[in-house]
Amino acid sequence: VFSLFSKKGAKGMASSSSAASSSSSINAAKPQSSPSIDMEDRLRGALWAFFAGDALSAPTHWYYSGLRQIVGDYGHEIRDYTKPRYHLQGSILNKSNLNGGGRSSYGSNKVGGADGTTIIGDIINHGKKDLWDPKEQIHYHATLEKGENTLEVELARVLMKSIVATDGKFDADHFRQA
């Protein structure tokens, strides 16, 4: 995504004109602020934090007992990118409806559309339907490697690329095809 931003380079730096050289050395070496560069830097920083924060927090998604729970499951505090555990005691992933939003009852996850197709496993999350097994308690991000982003952030990345490709405008059809 960051390659989608233009590089401003040294544009906006103070020049070495005679007016600048007559100023104090502190003022002459100081870059001139440009609102567009400042905004781009802020946006870039926010996106890096968004991507890194998501990857750092994925192992503790749905952890509500704080450090005690983290140390109990991982054996130590998490201070770096970490692969999420496979099992998560108390996970409600297995209660999610394979055919849409919300929760489902025990047997309803086994039935898909008229042809047996389910949204989870057939349309998205291909080959991962078993993670929703009602007898299991699987971590929401069990299939991620350490440092990998969640689905939500991957979708945000696709959305950003789509908006850049459509000259800064949201186009639902373009986003769906991206």
Side-chain angles (χ1 to χ4, degrees):
V1 167
F2 299 108
S3 64
L4 299 174
F5 297 112
S6 63
K7 303 271 187 218
K8 299 291 185 193
K11 201 188 292 185
M13 296 296 289
S15 69
S16 59
S17 68
S18 59
S21 60
S22 66
S23 302
S24 73
S25 62
I26 293 173
N27 289 337
K30 194 177 198 181
Q32 295 177 3
S33 180
S34 166
S36 64
I37 292 174
D38 290 344
M39 182 58 72
E40 184 176 323
D41 287 345
R42 288 172 146 188
L43 179 58
R44 184 174 276 113
L47 291 173
W48 274 112
F50 176 54
F51 297 137
D54 176 73
L56 286 166
S57 66
T60 59
H61 183 183
W62 284 72
Y63 276 54
Y64 294 111
S65 296
L67 185 59
R68 179 177 45 83
Q69 184 180 9
I70 294 167
V71 172
D73 279 356
Y74 290 93
H76 53 81
E77 293 181 13
I78 293 178
R79 296 179 178 263
D80 199 353
Y81 294 117
T82 303
K83 180 171 178 42
R85 294 174 44 91
Y86 188 78
H87 288 98
L88 173 61
Q89 186 67 32
S91 170
I92 59 171
L93 182 65
N94 60 8
K95 294 174 177 39
S96 298
N97 186 340
L98 294 175
N99 296 304
R103 304 287 175 243
S104 62
S105 61
Y106 174 76
S108 66
N109 274 344
K110 306 227 183 268
V111 180
D115 63 354
T117 300
T118 56
I119 293 172
I120 300 294
D122 295 318
I123 298 172
I124 63 172
N125 294 321
H126 300 265
K128 297 180 181 177
K129 189 189 302 187
D130 59 320
L131 298 175
W132 277 258
D133 184 329
K135 294 180 231 85
E136 296 290 335
Q137 293 189 41
I138 308 296
H139 190 289
Y140 304 92
H141 306 301
T143 62
L144 294 180
E145 294 300 321
K146 68 180 187 175
E148 206 173 353
N149 284 122
T150 63
L151 175 63
E152 292 78 11
V153 171
E154 292 297 333
L155 288 171
R157 186 173 298 159
V158 172
L159 174 62
M160 287 184 283
K161 287 181 178 182
S162 174
I163 289 172
V164 168
T166 56
D167 297 322
K169 294 179 180 64
F170 173 69
D171 179 322
D173 292 328
H174 187 276
F175 177 53
R176 280 191 285 272
Q177 298 303 314

